[in-house]
Amino acid sequence: MSKNDIGIDLGTVNILIYQKKRGIVVQEPSVVAISKNTKEILAIGNEARQMLGKTPGDIIALRPMKDGVIAEYRITEAILKHLVKRIIKGTLIKPNVVVCVPARLTGVERRAVIETTLNAGARRVYLISEPIAAAIGAGINIREPFGNMVIDIGGGTTDIAIISLGGIVVSDSIKIGGNKFDEAIIKYVKRKYKIIIGEATAENVKISIGKAYNIGEDKEMLIKGREMVSGLPYETTITSSEILEALRDSLEMLIVKVKGVLEKAPPELSADIIDKGIVLTGGASLLEGMDELIRNATGVDVIRVDEPITCVAKGAGLSLEDPELLERVSMSYAT
Ligand code: ADP
Ligand code: MG
């Protein structure tokens, strides 16, 4: 183990890296800009994100992670290589790397993540399941024989898991998360106001005035888009209750999944969850009223972690500082 060791959360929307003893050292959108002709990577992260939707013909900006898994291995490898180099700055000691992966990754997919990370410059690679990393990041002592339930509402997916004794007992995943919420807002505005708005606008509205439950004041916001019939720029105001209306179907599906996992929990673990509450993490858990929505639907207390966007990476990093814990929670390499 060395001071260069890092934990990586390769999210659909954000890539985060936690370095031993230093904390979060990278937090960038999972976007790259590549040249169409030479396939060369021109920019990554924030810089590439600014090119999304605005790129000239010979540059494409893309997100190499889809629905929580790597869709473009070669590009992911290049990103990791770039970030690892940035972190270890000239030292020759290769880092040990903990990579967080979805709970239901197949053996072949695990192998591919390991290869990608090794090619990017890692000495040893450990895989740990995202819900476990989230729980560690949230400060839960996962070695205890108590059931804990974690709901991670990210960009591409929501991952729900019940863990006990360092392992996953029940889990499920649904392709609903922050991106789906943005899409739903775009559709709603298109249907109701006949205006086309972009993804960035939709995300902005969601973060600024969106809510998942009917609490708090009804805020409003001016949005700008393109009128469908005339094709001209147009603006209108939209309110929090309209956003809630737009998100209703997605939120309902999410709740059905959450209840499904709770129903599959062994009774002893259900009892623990009732005592301790459900831990909520992931960027989209920041949507106002998300905790209240889940609390109301399940009757179980819901605790949103303090820093839901960095929680998984933090958990990965903390596991590096505790070799016995890492041994316990890392997944096998076998395919
Ligand atoms: P992933 O792990 O899939 O990369 P994250 O956990 O980083 O995803 O969450 C990204 C999502 O969180 C995005 O869809 C983003 O719009 C959403 N998000 C971030 N901040 C907020 C906020 N304050 N309110 C609502 N959604 C938010
Ligand atoms: Mg995530």
Side-chain angles (χ1 to χ4, degrees):
M1 296 283 159
S2 84
K3 68 174 174 45
N4 284 338
D5 294 349
I6 53 177
I8 304 182
D9 171 10
L10 284 175
T12 307
V13 175
N14 292 304
I15 296 185
L16 291 100
I17 301 186
Y18 182 105
Q19 186 175 12
K20 215 160 136 183
K21 307 265 191 302
R22 288 187 60 198
I24 302 288
V25 289
V26 171
Q27 179 167 1
E28 299 251 5
S30 334
V31 183
V32 284
I34 52 181
S35 153
K36 217 173 185 171
N37 302 324
T38 64
K39 303 280 182 271
E40 189 192 350
I41 296 191
L42 304 171
I44 70 156
N46 281 315
E47 208 186 319
R49 186 191 171 145
Q50 280 159 9
M51 300 181 180
L52 263 186
K54 294 180 189 165
T55 53
D58 54 344
I59 300 175
I60 37 177
L62 60 87
R63 296 186 172 274
M65 251 71 66
K66 280 237 151 53
D67 303 327
V69 297
I70 301 177
E72 305 269 358
Y73 282 96
R74 201 186 55 80
I75 290 167
T76 305
E77 185 182 310
I79 297 176
L80 289 180
K81 209 172 248 166
H82 176 96
L83 295 175
V84 166
K85 214 191 247 166
R86 197 204 282 174
I87 293 165
I88 68 173
K89 283 193 213 88
T91 57
L92 293 170
I93 308 164
K94 286 183 163 188
N96 292 304
V97 180
V98 172
V99 186
C100 306
V101 292
R104 302 167 148 238
L105 217 61
T106 65
V108 175
E109 286 170 321
R110 284 184 199 181
R111 189 72 239 171
V113 175
I114 290 168
E115 300 266 299
T116 303
T117 316
L118 286 173
N119 290 342
R123 181 152 45 127
R124 269 202 78 169
V125 181
Y126 303 84
L127 301 184
I128 72 175
S129 207
E130 273 166 356
I132 304 263
I136 297 172
I140 295 170
N141 183 352
I142 56 148
R143 280 172 279 206
E144 288 181 342
F146 292 117
N148 281 289
M149 181 160 175
V150 178
I151 304 178
D152 179 355
I153 312 177
T157 61
T158 293
D159 298 278
I160 309 155
I162 293 175
I163 60 185
S164 176
L165 287 165
I168 292 175
V169 183
V170 192
S171 75
D172 206 350
S173 175
I174 180 170
K175 287 178 187 167
I176 288 181
N179 294 344
K180 257 289 161 27
F181 299 157
D182 301 344
E183 273 169 39
I185 293 171
I186 293 173
K187 269 195 201 143
Y188 181 90
V189 171
K190 190 169 164 189
R191 200 175 35 187
K192 184 160 176 184
Y193 295 105
K194 310 277 177 275
I195 300 172
I196 313 275
I197 58 168
E199 274 170 36
T201 301
E203 182 180 28
N204 206 350
V205 171
K206 172 189 72 179
I207 293 176
S208 310
I209 65 161
K211 55 182 169 184
Y213 195 75
N214 201 359
I215 44 160
E217 54 172 326
D218 205 17
K219 295 174 215 148
E220 56 175 50
M221 187 172 163
L222 192 66
I223 49 169
K224 293 178 181 152
R226 185 163 46 86
E227 221 258 1
M228 275 167 79
V229 181
S230 66
L232 296 173
Y234 194 86
E235 50 184 38
T236 183
T237 53
I238 189 159
T239 65
S240 309
S241 2
E242 288 179 286
I243 305 295
L244 180 61
E245 181 63 33
L247 303 186
R248 187 147 299 181
D249 290 349
S250 305
L251 294 171
E252 217 165 271
M253 285 189 267
L254 201 139
I255 289 299
V256 169
K257 276 280 178 202
V258 170
K259 285 184 172 168
V261 171
L262 267 173
E263 281 160 15
K264 281 185 231 140
E268 291 298 321
L269 296 187
S270 305
D272 293 342
I273 293 162
I274 292 168
D275 284 348
K276 298 181 169 207
I278 296 170
V279 173
L280 198 55
T281 182
S285 74
L286 287 165
L287 188 63
E288 192 183 349
M290 190 58 99
D291 46 352
E292 195 55 41
L293 173 77
I294 299 171
R295 192 175 297 134
N296 195 273
T298 59
V300 179
D301 196 21
V302 178
I303 305 118
R304 193 180 58 215
V305 305
D306 285 341
E307 288 173 337
I309 296 183
T310 54
C311 192
V312 167
K314 187 177 166 196
L318 289 177
S319 73
L320 278 164
E321 295 177 9
D322 183 345
E324 195 254 326
L325 177 66
L326 182 58
E327 184 64 29
R328 174 119 182 202
V329 298
S330 57
M331 293 173 160
S332 80
Y333 278 32
T335 52

